[in-house]
Amino acid sequence: MKDIIPHIFKKEFKIPQEERLANAIGRFSATEKIIFGILATILMISAVSLLWQVNQNFLVSVPAEGGSFSEGIIGTPRFINPVIAISDAERDMTSLVYSGLLKANTDGTLIPNLAKNYTISDDGLIYTFYLKDNIFFHDGTPITSDDVEFTITQIQDPSIKSHKRANWDGVTVEKIGEKQIRFILKKPYSPFIENTTIGIIPKHIWKNVSTDEFAFSQFNIEPVGSGPYQIKSINRDSGGLIQYYELSPFKKYALGKPYISSIFMRFYPNEKALLSAYKSGYIQNINGIAPQEAELLKTKGVRIETTPLPRIFAVFLNQNNVPLFADQAIRQALNIAMPKEAILKEVLQGYATAIDGPIPSTVNSINPESFDDRINEAKQILAKDGWQINQAGILEKKTKKDTSVLQFSLATSNTPELRQSAEIIKSAWAKLGINVTIKIFDTGDLNQNIIRTRKYDALLFGEIIGRDPDLFAFWHSSQRNDPGLNIAMYVNSKVDKILEDARAISNPEDRKAKYKEFDDIIHQEIPALFVYSPNFIYVVAKDIEGFSLGQITTSGDRFANINEWYINTDQVWKIFVNNN
């Protein structure tokens, strides 16, 4: 038996068919052997190709970790801190480094981030949030309701001067447990939920920083948050000025570790320097560029992503400074002669939407009549109201007591778009016989010394309405003085009541109906001359996938789904994707 088994394993077994095939091939002529070889090769290639095709049918591309990009930003951040961030550069960095209880999704809806869920009381006064388990700051410290409470109390502290303070004024914060916190409002305010997207700062780091030192803390430029990306390194020039941040993905981010391995956020003093860096290849993504530059890049095949911004640009009429603006005929004529089409075409290159009311609209509202026809219509309105051209070519109106001349100044910010728009408006109104003097101010000067003091006749300016259009601050009579934003100095008791009621309504359709009432009154009374809502313009590298611009209110919102962006991909069978 022992001898038989080894013999079996050593014995060669031949398949008869193979022998017959070998014998048949052996009898082939040389030509036949060549033909057979070619056919056999074709068969093998076809079989391999078929198997490859079958394999490809089962494969899909999925995001993979890796890759990097550089983003260029105008300005240098001083406060990478959601409590005191002001500039676009600061808000951009804050949106990457910090996360809030909720997060705005790309479709404009709010989704849980650090919170796993929340409840709202029936009377709309109590908001209770429950934090997720296993949520951490970038330094590994667990996030608790202490951090949430601390962040809000810092915002509410008047000595810190947070621009978010008004959003939390009068709100009581109650810590219920380590993972549970409650916000109590004095009266219903349906847009309040938006406030909970504010980034949470770590109490264990900031608790020893006094209010006097808060704005000067090193943690404002070396931030520790819980957002999708964390600070890996900081590059400074010889003078200590920050040139760029290198960011790496946070593995324990509440919504999942991002795919892209490195992001370089580089800072430039102005648009010229930004564009120079882009054209030299130092950066791949940019925003904050003029529409003319965007259109030029687009013609060269550059990837340009745009989306409407919930912002209103209008000429606000200050009747306190210019009593003539109280005349309905003047406001009506100015509105009819507003050259929206010229501004959209010549200044904004189509990267905007014409509007005719205080609520952002996606519908082009340019009057179908020709501009010349509208000028003639405006002239007739003014003539009927008693205005006549004087020897200087300016409209005047004589009464028994005195003579009024139709002239005023138009103030605006020192930006290319607004300067050009102001000139076009001035030229259009000059056709009516109205003398307009343009006054240009740097942004800071305009805000502090002109708008806050209400020292302007007419003001070409933009208002950020926000994702949830609460218009109280912009049009309620109580907001006529600083820090209110009623820069039209508008007073209407009926509108006040509508805006007060709208704030307390939670049903979106009911709120929409209220705002329709408000919009109708504004159309009738014309306290401001509405011009356009701009588009957000973003130049994005072509190899970035998973990107969705969606609805944004500030530039930082472009990073809303950055944890889903990817550059690299893997090929896997569909069955494994489905199983995931």
Side-chain angles (χ1 to χ4, degrees):
M1 188 71 174
K2 292 181 180 179
D3 296 334
I4 294 174
I5 293 175
H7 177 73
I8 292 174
F9 282 102
K10 291 179 180 179
K11 185 177 180 180
E12 293 185 8
F13 293 90
K14 293 184 177 181
I15 301 174
Q17 287 82 352
E18 289 184 354
E19 292 180 356
R20 287 196 290 270
L21 179 61
N23 290 334
I25 294 174
R27 291 194 293 270
F28 284 174
S29 66
T31 301
E32 290 172 332
K33 288 180 180 180
I34 292 173
I35 295 173
F36 179 81
I38 293 173
L39 293 174
T41 302
I42 293 173
L43 178 63
M44 290 179 62
I45 293 174
S46 299
V48 171
S49 177
L50 179 62
L51 290 173
W52 183 85
Q53 289 289 345
V54 170
N55 185 60
Q56 290 300 306
N57 288 335
F58 284 97
L59 287 176
V60 292
S61 294
V62 296
E65 294 183 5
S68 68
F69 69 87
S70 290
E71 178 116 3
I73 297 174
I74 297 175
T76 302
R78 293 185 302 156
F79 309 119
I80 307 177
N81 181 335
V83 175
I84 53 177
I86 299 175
S87 70
D88 283 343
E90 291 162 357
R91 286 193 289 258
D92 289 352
M93 289 295 299
T94 297
S95 66
L96 293 168
V97 175
Y98 290 92
S99 53
L101 294 172
L102 300 182
K103 182 181 80 73
N105 210 354
T106 54
D107 63 1
T109 59
L110 300 180
I111 62 173
N113 194 348
L114 295 178
K116 62 181 177 181
N117 54 53
Y118 64 93
T119 61
I120 304 174
S121 62
D122 292 339
D123 59 8
L125 296 177
I126 302 174
Y127 293 71
T128 306
F129 284 81
Y130 304 86
L131 300 185
K132 293 177 180 176
D133 297 322
N134 301 317
I135 49 176
F136 303 89
F137 288 109
H138 295 155
D139 62 0
T141 304
I143 301 172
T144 70
S145 55
D146 281 329
D147 300 295
V148 180
E149 179 185 41
F150 178 79
T151 300
I152 306 309
T153 55
Q154 298 305 293
I155 292 172
Q156 292 175 327
D157 188 337
S159 59
I160 288 180
K161 299 179 181 178
S162 171
H163 70 290
K164 296 287 187 180
R165 185 185 170 203
N167 295 343
W168 293 91
D169 190 30
V171 177
T172 301
V173 184
E174 286 187 359
K175 175 190 170 185
I176 302 172
E178 189 176 82
K179 293 289 185 179
Q180 190 175 354
I181 195 158
R182 178 175 292 161
F183 306 120
I184 303 174
L185 282 59
K186 292 181 178 180
K187 55 184 179 181
Y189 177 52
S190 56
F192 170 77
I193 195 68
E194 177 87 15
N195 297 338
T196 62
T197 61
I198 186 74
I200 302 302
I201 63 175
K203 180 179 180 180
H204 68 280
I205 289 178
W206 285 94
K207 65 181 180 181
N208 296 322
V209 179
S210 68
T211 55
D212 291 336
E213 298 172 336
F214 196 86
F216 306 100
S217 172
Q218 191 70 7
F219 294 117
N220 286 317
I221 57 175
E222 297 177 2
V224 175
S226 58
Y229 280 86
Q230 58 189 346
I231 304 300
K232 182 177 181 180
S233 65
I234 305 174
N235 182 275
R236 294 178 170 88
D237 62 15
S238 58
L241 187 67
I242 295 174
Q243 298 293 290
Y244 67 82
Y245 283 94
E246 181 182 1
L247 307 179
S248 60
F250 181 39
K251 295 180 181 179
K252 296 181 179 180
Y253 176 51
L255 297 179
K257 179 185 175 183
Y259 295 108
I260 297 177
S261 297
S262 295
I263 298 177
F264 296 86
M265 302 295 284
R266 301 180 183 274
F267 309 105
Y268 299 91
N270 50 51
E271 182 185 25
K272 182 179 179 181
L274 180 75
L275 287 168
S276 176
Y278 175 77
K279 293 172 183 176
S280 298
Y282 291 116
I283 51 179
Q284 293 81 51
N285 293 8
I286 56 175
N287 78 96
I289 60 174
Q292 292 88 341
E293 293 292 346
E295 192 64 13
L296 183 60
L297 291 174
K298 187 176 181 180
T299 61
K300 297 180 179 179
V302 172
R303 178 183 180 186
I304 306 286
E305 300 284 350
T306 67
T307 189
L309 282 169
R311 298 183 182 181
I312 295 297
F313 279 81
V315 174
F316 298 91
L317 306 175
N318 187 348
Q319 296 184 27
N320 288 1
N321 269 22
V322 183
L324 289 175
F325 289 152
D327 188 334
Q328 172 81 2
I330 291 176
R331 301 197 306 274
Q332 187 179 359
L334 292 174
N335 191 43
I336 291 173
M338 177 62 70
K340 298 179 188 179
E341 57 270 76
I343 293 173
L344 260 66
K345 182 179 179 181
E346 298 173 24
V347 179
L348 301 169
Q349 303 292 309
Y351 289 98
T353 302
I355 57 172
D356 56 6
I359 301 173
S361 172
T362 56
V363 178
N364 191 310
S365 62
I366 293 176
N367 193 314
E369 294 180 315
S370 71
F371 182 64
D372 289 339
D373 289 341
R374 300 203 317 268
I375 289 293
N376 290 331
E377 182 181 352
K379 286 180 177 179
Q380 292 173 15
I381 292 172
L382 293 170
K384 187 176 181 180
D385 196 44
W387 292 93
Q388 301 294 327
I389 297 290
N390 63 17
Q391 292 182 347
I394 302 173
L395 286 172
E396 66 177 19
K397 185 177 184 179
K398 296 181 179 181
T399 63
K400 293 181 179 179
K401 295 183 178 181
D402 60 6
T403 299
S404 299
V405 179
L406 193 43
Q407 58 186 8
F408 54 87
S409 64
L410 176 61
T412 195
S413 180
N414 189 20
T415 64
E417 292 87 354
L418 292 177
R419 287 200 311 269
Q420 294 174 49
S421 297
E423 290 291 348
I424 291 174
I425 292 171
K426 175 182 177 178
S427 296
W429 289 347
K431 296 179 185 296
L432 301 179
I434 299 173
N435 183 29
V436 177
T437 302
I438 296 176
K439 294 184 177 182
I440 305 295
F441 301 89
D442 288 335
T443 302
D445 188 20
L446 181 72
N447 289 330
Q448 293 297 321
N449 301 320
I450 306 301
I451 296 178
R452 295 187 67 176
T453 60
R454 305 301 196 252
K455 292 181 179 178
Y456 51 84
D457 295 346
L459 174 68
L460 175 58
F461 191 67
E463 296 178 334
I464 301 175
I465 303 301
R467 187 174 290 105
D468 192 325
D470 178 22
L471 301 172
F472 182 93
F474 303 104
W475 295 99
H476 196 277
S477 61
S478 66
Q479 304 299 303
R480 284 173 294 162
N481 298 319
D482 184 68
L485 299 174
N486 184 354
I487 53 180
M489 310 295 286
Y490 183 63
V491 178
N492 183 304
S493 58
K494 186 175 181 180
V495 163
D496 285 352
K497 182 64 168 61
I498 291 173
L499 295 177
E500 291 164 8
D501 292 344
R503 299 187 108 197
I505 297 173
S506 57
N507 184 288
E509 291 303 315
D510 291 342
R511 289 187 72 207
K512 187 176 180 180
K514 276 291 180 185
Y515 281 133
K516 178 63 169 60
E517 292 180 41
F518 160 73
D519 192 54
D520 289 342
I521 295 173
I522 296 297
H523 271 84
Q524 181 180 354
E525 298 200 343
I526 321 175
L529 317 170
F530 301 97
V531 189
Y532 66 88
S533 287
N535 286 354
F536 179 76
I537 302 172
Y538 192 27
V539 177
V540 191
K542 290 184 177 181
D543 60 352
I544 294 179
E545 302 291 342
F547 168 84
S548 177
L549 194 54
Q551 297 182 22
I552 69 173
T553 56
T554 65
S555 63
D557 290 341
R558 68 187 184 276
F559 299 124
N561 73 325
I562 195 165
N563 58 306
E564 299 172 8
W565 296 13
Y566 62 94
I567 294 173
N568 295 347
T569 59
D570 282 336
Q571 297 288 316
V572 300
W573 278 28
K574 294 178 183 178
I575 187 173
F576 296 116
V577 175
N578 292 337
N579 286 341
N580 289 335

